[in-house]
Amino acid sequence: MSWNLALGRYFQLVPNALKEVSRGVIRCPRGCLLAHVANIDSTRLAVVFVHAENKLKHAGGVNATQPVEESSYSLEELQALPMDEALDLMREGELTYRALEGLYKQHGNQRRIAYVALKEDLAEGSRDAFARCPHWSGKLPLEVLNVSKKVTGITDLT
């Protein structure tokens, strides 16, 4: 299981949890959401979004080939769990990436995918640092983690 993908799926399915930990957002020059900067367990990270409308596949959406399994939690039960408890379930393997992917395919916005990028991912320019919207695409720089204001435009970082 990829922790980065699982956490991204969790935040897509439970947007209130993302609002709870978000310290700021990164937007493209036209205002599309590219990332949230968040703190989890005193670790600063970016929840990066990729708008993938042009990548949709007719056979099940963006992640048609990703293996899924049925979750023991319904979407409503997952949204009712405190975030710390959900993270513990993910760490213990009781709530898996495949189960979150299954819930996402049932209830998520498949035109937008999310994953988590840590400081190392942004510093190394890994694929977890890649964001895209209809107006901008590229790897987010490490500076996105240093939010000094609630909304930062990508032009402020370049």
Side-chain angles (χ1 to χ4, degrees):
M1 165 178 93
S2 166
W3 178 254
N4 295 32
L5 286 172
L7 206 48
R9 289 298 175 272
Y10 171 74
F11 284 129
Q12 285 183 285
L13 294 166
V14 188
N16 288 337
L18 182 55
K19 289 177 187 173
E20 193 178 303
V21 296
S22 180
R23 299 292 171 255
V25 296
I26 309 303
R27 296 197 177 271
C28 86
R30 292 204 181 166
C32 299
L33 178 65
L34 295 174
H36 275 268
V37 177
N39 281 339
I40 297 178
D41 299 333
S42 54
T43 300
R44 180 77 50 108
L45 51 86
V47 180
V48 181
F49 290 94
V50 175
H51 298 251
E53 259 181 68
N54 60 342
K55 297 289 184 186
L56 282 178
K57 298 175 184 156
H58 295 291
V62 172
N63 294 328
T65 60
Q66 288 290 336
V68 299
E69 60 188 41
E70 193 169 322
S71 174
S72 55
Y73 293 89
S74 69
L75 180 61
E76 293 76 23
E77 290 170 328
L78 182 65
Q79 290 174 338
L81 279 176
M83 186 178 74
D84 291 341
E85 193 175 325
L87 293 176
D88 287 343
L89 289 171
M90 289 168 50
R91 287 183 188 112
E92 295 165 6
E94 291 181 43
L95 183 60
T96 66
Y97 166 69
R98 289 179 177 192
L100 289 167
E101 185 70 19
L103 280 174
Y104 167 74
K105 284 188 176 185
Q106 291 174 1
H107 303 286
N109 173 3
Q110 294 198 35
R111 289 191 166 98
R112 194 167 80 168
I113 57 176
Y115 40 80
V116 167
L118 301 173
K119 180 179 180 180
E120 302 79 34
D121 298 320
L122 294 168
E124 296 166 6
S126 85
R127 65 181 183 184
D128 290 331
F130 180 79
R132 176 180 41 225
C133 74
H135 316 106
W136 187 89
S137 71
K139 293 196 176 174
L140 296 173
L142 179 60
E143 294 82 43
V144 301
L145 294 181
N146 299 325
V147 290
S148 58
K149 46 190 176 175
K150 211 56 173 154
V151 178
T152 303
I154 197 67
T155 55
D156 293 347
L157 301 171
T158 54

